[in-house]
Amino acid sequence: MKSVYVLGNWKSNKTLLEATSWVETFFPSQQNIPEDTIVILCPAFHHLPLFLERKLAIFLGAQNVSPYQSGPYTGEISALMLDAMVTYAMIGHSERRTHFHETNEVVVEKVKRCMEHDIKPIVCVSTFEEVKDLSLHVPEFSRVGILLYELPSAIGTGKADSPENANNIAIQFKQLFDIPILYGGSVKPENVKEFVSQEHIDGVVVGGASLDAQTFISLIQNASLTVLH
Ligand code: PGA
């Protein structure tokens, strides 16, 4: 039986008060995370200490990392600064590519910075060509932690890709690299099982539905392939 990844991506959301309340709701229920389910949460950088104060049954990730080393880069968070705080970092999310003009060239630098500091990159891509291009420029690309297939038109729109199409894309990616492939785009508690039941999809990335702790907990329960519903 495969493990199922559920990655929550808070994006640019939550005040300190809202984040604290989410943690307080989520924390007691983390003991019910099904055994086959690996939960990763990517809050904003400044919310990370709220999680580090507690004994966690989930992994933490960053939503972004600087392409530069530490130094005179005002406003940037380097991979070294995240050392001992996160296990993963999302790199090249389609929102960063769209709103911050992040190119594959920048993504390559970010992936390299992560690898230098033992942070597992979660590399976000929309096409097979993107994966091929990135892998040509990152030595040991097979060491990236996770590949996330996202369909930009499905992100935040409620119009998820079809599980079958996402599975076909995952098959193509797996022909290049045998690493976990996640799908992201309008995943909710109601449709998560359809995605994770696909043979080549190893889990999901959840934006909107991760913002409410109870909804996220339901989604985690529904994602398990061992828990009967
Ligand atoms: P969404 O975001 O769940 O809000 O569509 C998904 C993502 O960012 O990958």
Side-chain angles (χ1 to χ4, degrees), residues 17-88:
L17 214 64
E18 288 165 346
T20 308
S21 146
W22 191 102
V23 174
E24 274 159 17
T25 308
F26 182 80
F27 190 71
S29 70
Q30 62 166 5
Q31 66 205 36
N32 301 325
I33 294 174
E35 258 178 46
D36 66 334
T37 311
I38 298 165
V39 179
I40 306 169
L41 188 74
C42 300
F45 293 123
H46 68 301
H47 291 140
L48 286 169
L50 287 178
F51 292 87
L52 295 169
E53 283 160 8
R54 301 183 182 241
K55 200 164 168 357
L56 287 176
I58 65 172
F59 291 98
L60 290 175
Q63 296 175 19
N64 185 26
V65 154
S66 174
Y68 298 102
Q69 308 279 7
S70 296
Y73 304 103
T74 302
E76 287 292 274
I77 305 284
S78 70
L80 177 62
M81 289 160 74
L82 290 167
D83 192 25
M85 294 185 96
V86 299
T87 308
Y88 293 95

Side-chain angles (χ1 to χ4, degrees), residues 2-229:
K2 67 178 181 184
S3 295
V4 174
Y5 289 79
V6 176
L7 187 158
N9 174 14
W10 280 4
K11 310 190 179 185
S12 189
N13 287 297
K14 292 201 184 295
T15 63
L16 186 56
L17 214 64
E18 288 165 346
T20 308
S21 146
W22 191 102
V23 174
E24 274 159 17
T25 308
F26 182 80
F27 190 71
S29 70
Q30 62 166 5
Q31 66 205 36
N32 301 325
I33 294 174
E35 258 178 46
D36 66 334
T37 311
I38 298 165
V39 179
I40 306 169
L41 188 74
C42 300
F45 293 123
H46 68 301
H47 291 140
L48 286 169
L50 287 178
F51 292 87
L52 295 169
E53 283 160 8
R54 301 183 182 241
K55 200 164 168 357
L56 287 176
I58 65 172
F59 291 98
L60 290 175
Q63 296 175 19
N64 185 26
V65 154
S66 174
Y68 298 102
Q69 308 279 7
S70 296
Y73 304 103
T74 302
E76 287 292 274
I77 305 284
S78 70
L80 177 62
M81 289 160 74
L82 290 167
D83 192 25
M85 294 185 96
V86 299
T87 308
Y88 293 95
M90 296 178 81
I91 305 295
H93 190 283
S94 62
E95 286 159 3
R96 295 213 55 85
R97 293 176 188 263
T98 306
H99 302 297
F100 304 95
H101 315 294
E102 223 165 77
T103 58
N104 267 1
E105 236 174 1
V106 176
V107 170
V108 164
E109 289 311 306
K110 293 183 172 194
V111 170
K112 287 183 181 166
R113 294 300 86 72
C114 286
M115 286 176 160
E116 286 160 8
H117 295 282
D118 284 331
I119 294 173
K120 294 181 189 162
I122 299 167
V123 181
C124 310
V125 285
S126 300
T127 62
F128 184 67
E129 285 62 42
E130 258 170 13
V131 187
K132 270 208 324 224
D133 184 46
L134 289 170
S135 64
L136 288 177
H137 296 96
V138 177
E140 295 190 273
F141 191 81
S142 56
R143 275 182 52 223
V144 310
I146 290 174
L147 266 179
L148 161 62
Y149 158 60
E150 32 171 31
L151 179 65
S153 66
I155 294 191
T157 58
K159 295 187 186 127
D161 197 357
S162 75
E164 295 72 25
N165 188 53
N167 190 52
N168 286 336
I169 305 262
I171 292 173
Q172 293 178 21
F173 290 2
K174 283 230 164 121
Q175 278 164 358
L176 288 180
F177 299 103
D178 188 19
I179 49 182
I181 313 286
L182 312 192
Y183 163 75
S186 293
V187 177
K188 308 274 178 249
E190 298 75 31
N191 64 3
V192 63
K193 193 61 141 261
E194 294 167 42
F195 285 99
V196 298
S197 320
Q198 300 292 323
E199 188 180 349
H200 299 282
I201 297 180
D202 299 289
V204 289
V205 173
V206 184
S210 70
L211 293 176
D212 176 74
Q214 285 298 353
T215 308
F216 193 52
I217 292 162
S218 306
L219 193 148
I220 292 168
Q221 293 296 327
N222 292 357
S224 168
L225 295 172
T226 52
V227 175
L228 296 174
H229 303 286

